[in-house]
Amino acid sequence: MEPNHQLNNVSDISDDEREEALIKYRIIQPFLQNIKTITIICEEQQLSRRTISRWIANYRKDGFIGLWVF
């Protein structure tokens, strides 16, 4: 399913999409809480700095729904 950029509410996304966004949030949460650096998260999760930085930026811009959109 293609992301619908008109979404305004987390309840507008499917359970699978919500789960995917929750996984992303759990990955970036330690950074948001000043517990871990982006570098450490990248190493632990084996994800690129660009991916993690994009998730953080999207979360800061659009909240939880931003983690689903991208």
Side-chain angles (χ1 to χ4, degrees):
M1 173 185 240
E2 286 294 314
N4 178 350
H5 297 281
Q6 302 296 346
L7 293 175
N8 296 317
N9 192 317
V10 173
S11 64
D12 292 340
I13 64 176
S14 73
D15 290 341
D16 288 341
E17 293 162 339
R18 193 174 303 113
E19 183 63 28
E20 182 179 335
L22 184 57
I23 289 167
K24 291 177 183 179
Y25 176 76
R26 288 180 178 147
I27 290 171
I28 66 170
Q29 185 178 23
F31 174 80
L32 298 172
Q33 295 177 338
N34 296 315
I35 296 170
K36 294 181 180 179
T37 65
I38 292 176
T39 301
I40 290 172
I41 293 171
C42 293
E43 290 171 358
E44 290 176 348
Q45 299 296 322
Q46 298 182 354
L47 294 168
S48 73
R49 183 176 193 84
R50 181 178 179 193
T51 294
I52 298 298
S53 296
R54 188 176 65 238
W55 291 354
I56 291 167
N58 291 345
Y59 179 79
R60 286 181 171 162
K61 180 179 179 248
D62 297 317
F64 187 77
I65 198 74
L67 296 175
W68 170 73
V69 173
F70 298 98

